[in-house]
Amino acid sequence: MVIPKPNKPDDTVAKAYRVITLLNCLGNVVEKVAGKAIAEQCDRRQLLHDGQFGCRKRRSAIGAVGRLMKLVEEAWGRGNTAAVLLMDVKGSFPHVAKGNLIKRMEEMEFKADLVRWVESFMEERKVIMSTDGKEGDSMDVEIGVPQGSPVSTVLCVVYLSGLFGRVEEKENECGSEGISFVDDVSWVVEGEDVGECTQRLEGCAREAQIWAKENAIQFDIENTEAILFTRKRCNQQSKIKAKIRVGRHEVQYNQEATRWLGVWLDSMLTLNDYTKKIFTKARRAQNRVRCLMNVRGLNLEACQRIQIAAVQAVALYGAEVWWKGQKNGAQEVKMILNEQGTRITGGFCTTPQGALMYDAGQRAANAILNN
């Protein structure tokens, strides 16, 4: 099924749409079991690169952001400047080559049964495109894994696992480190100045593109971004002029905060822009939920569940990386929780907050943030 991606300015180009594979329920169960077996073997035998996040237990998108921030702060501790090149694999799922994937699994010494299952999974597949309820002709599919299948994500992670060792081995003297969340790849380097960081990032990009060409994938150069993390004022002017050569293109360091895995990162890692955005987004979600509750007349339990899922989840996303005991952050969360308590219980604004929070089943802002 072809569905449009949100917030795309031009709906006449193919990349403005996402192809989702709808499979039968029994097939999904089998694929989920196989995907879990592959993921467990990867974790148990440590087959994947340590910087690969996504489709792995206790390794979330926020964990990847936290790791990046830790590397930057360690570079600052050594008196250096850090830089990151953000690269996105173009059409990662549709470009997984069967032969290369099987070869990679054999190199990683997966169990023979799992290798044979994956080989069978990628054979004799057909697809019918459906757009606005209209179905096209059946076509043979010889490459790629179906986006929407429970096993596809872990297969994509396994397929890309060879990239990180290749780049880090070739650029070992640069001290580069790769961090990824499925197909969102970043290269972190450090240097004494902007020029040294730029040179090292160019080396990472060069080796990454060589590996990509050998494995039948491409990086989306248009979406490639770079961030320079520095506390030195002397680097600000050099940052404006510096350009990173990625293939035939040149990428400049972003002057404003950059969004990666849902978190807006600024050059000083204050995350002030990010917290402003998420609290604004949470208040908008609060307003939408309030309208829904007024119209539908939800019961107490339903009100509590929808407030937690639709509002708290937004306000607290990424709190692990930005919460450091700031009074203003706690105050923002407290105001959102107080509003939630009022909406859940139907109480008055003048109701004592302690009683209101107790009746609504809410915890204090500091207790939630510190947990």
Side-chain angles (χ1 to χ4, degrees):
M1 179 175 290
V2 181
I3 60 175
K5 296 180 181 178
N7 303 321
K8 291 295 181 181
D10 188 2
D11 59 0
T12 62
V13 296
K15 66 180 182 179
Y17 297 85
R18 178 177 286 111
V19 179
I20 300 297
T21 304
L22 302 180
L23 304 174
N24 63 72
C25 294
L26 183 58
N28 276 335
V29 173
V30 174
E31 291 164 22
K32 187 171 183 178
V33 172
K36 184 177 180 180
I38 294 172
E40 286 180 350
Q41 191 168 153
C42 288
D43 286 338
R44 185 172 63 254
R45 297 176 50 207
Q46 298 182 347
L47 298 177
L48 299 177
H49 183 269
D50 193 47
Q52 283 186 280
F53 291 74
C55 201
R56 302 176 68 182
K57 291 182 179 180
R58 296 178 293 277
R59 284 176 175 262
S60 63
I62 295 301
V65 175
R67 186 183 182 94
L68 187 151
M69 293 176 62
K70 180 182 178 183
L71 292 175
V72 171
E73 290 171 352
E74 288 176 351
W76 286 349
R78 291 187 285 268
N80 290 331
T81 296
V84 179
L85 184 67
L86 307 176
M87 305 180 75
D88 181 36
V89 179
K90 190 175 183 179
S92 54
F93 288 87
H95 288 89
V96 174
K98 172 188 168 184
N100 291 347
L101 176 60
I102 297 302
K103 180 181 177 181
R104 179 60 183 164
M105 293 184 72
E106 290 175 345
E107 290 174 351
M108 298 169 74
E109 298 182 352
F110 274 93
K111 290 182 178 180
D113 290 343
L114 287 176
V115 177
R116 286 195 296 269
W117 186 91
V118 172
E119 189 173 9
S120 174
F121 172 71
M122 299 186 69
E123 285 180 346
E124 300 179 0
R125 293 189 296 120
K126 296 181 180 294
V127 64
I128 298 176
M129 304 292 287
S130 175
T131 306
D132 295 333
K134 298 179 180 179
E135 294 186 355
D137 298 329
S138 176
M139 298 178 291
D140 294 329
V141 179
E142 299 179 356
I143 191 172
V145 292
Q147 188 165 354
S149 169
V151 75
S152 294
T153 304
V154 69
L155 291 181
C156 184
V157 169
V158 170
Y159 190 76
L160 296 175
S161 60
L163 168 65
F164 305 95
R166 167 70 172 272
V167 174
E168 291 178 4
E169 180 182 355
K170 294 291 184 180
E171 301 298 319
N172 190 34
E173 70 272 7
C174 299
S176 62
E177 182 167 338
I179 303 174
S180 73
F181 187 82
V182 189
D183 58 353
D184 290 314
V185 180
S186 67
W187 305 108
V188 187
V189 300
E190 63 175 280
E192 295 182 358
D193 53 30
V194 179
E196 187 175 354
C197 290
T198 301
Q199 184 179 3
R200 292 180 174 182
L201 287 179
E202 288 179 346
C204 292
R206 181 173 56 253
E207 291 301 328
Q209 288 190 307
I210 292 174
W211 183 91
K213 187 175 181 180
E214 294 173 352
N215 290 271
I217 66 170
Q218 292 180 334
F219 289 102
D220 192 348
I221 302 300
E222 293 182 1
N223 290 331
T224 300
E225 298 180 281
I227 315 173
L228 186 74
F229 298 101
T230 180
R231 291 175 173 173
K232 301 177 181 178
R233 294 184 179 274
C234 60
N235 285 332
Q236 297 301 325
Q237 192 64 28
S238 301
K239 169 185 172 181
I240 298 175
K241 298 179 180 179
K243 294 181 179 180
I244 305 165
R245 182 170 293 278
V246 181
R248 297 179 180 179
H249 300 265
E250 291 183 338
V251 179
Q252 288 185 303
Y253 291 106
N254 290 345
Q255 304 302 313
E256 305 294 335
T258 304
R259 187 175 185 268
W260 188 60
L261 301 181
V263 178
W264 291 85
L265 301 170
D266 57 275
S267 60
M268 297 289 290
L269 284 185
T270 61
L271 301 185
N272 289 335
D273 291 335
Y274 173 60
T275 53
K276 290 178 182 178
K277 290 177 185 294
I278 60 169
F279 290 140
T280 301
K281 189 176 179 181
R283 282 190 287 270
R284 289 175 181 171
Q286 181 77 276
N287 293 334
R288 291 193 293 269
V289 170
R290 180 175 57 191
C291 295
L292 176 65
M293 293 167 63
N294 291 338
V295 173
R296 298 295 181 182
L298 302 176
N299 59 42
L300 183 65
E301 182 181 358
C303 289
Q304 185 183 41
R305 291 174 63 184
I306 196 171
Q307 286 282 353
I308 293 174
V311 182
Q312 278 193 33
V314 174
L316 299 177
Y317 180 77
E320 299 92 334
V321 295
W322 65 260
W323 170 246
K324 297 178 182 177
Q326 308 96 313
K327 290 184 178 180
N328 57 342
Q331 184 63 27
E332 289 281 358
V333 175
K334 182 180 179 180
M335 291 173 62
I336 292 173
L337 293 176
N338 291 345
E339 175 72 13
Q340 284 185 328
T342 303
R343 295 304 167 186
I344 291 172
T345 61
F348 296 103
C349 296
T350 55
T351 304
Q353 294 300 323
L356 190 68
M357 297 294 285
Y358 179 81
D359 289 341
Q362 301 275 64
R363 292 188 297 161
N366 284 74
I368 294 177
L369 289 168
N370 288 329
N371 189 15

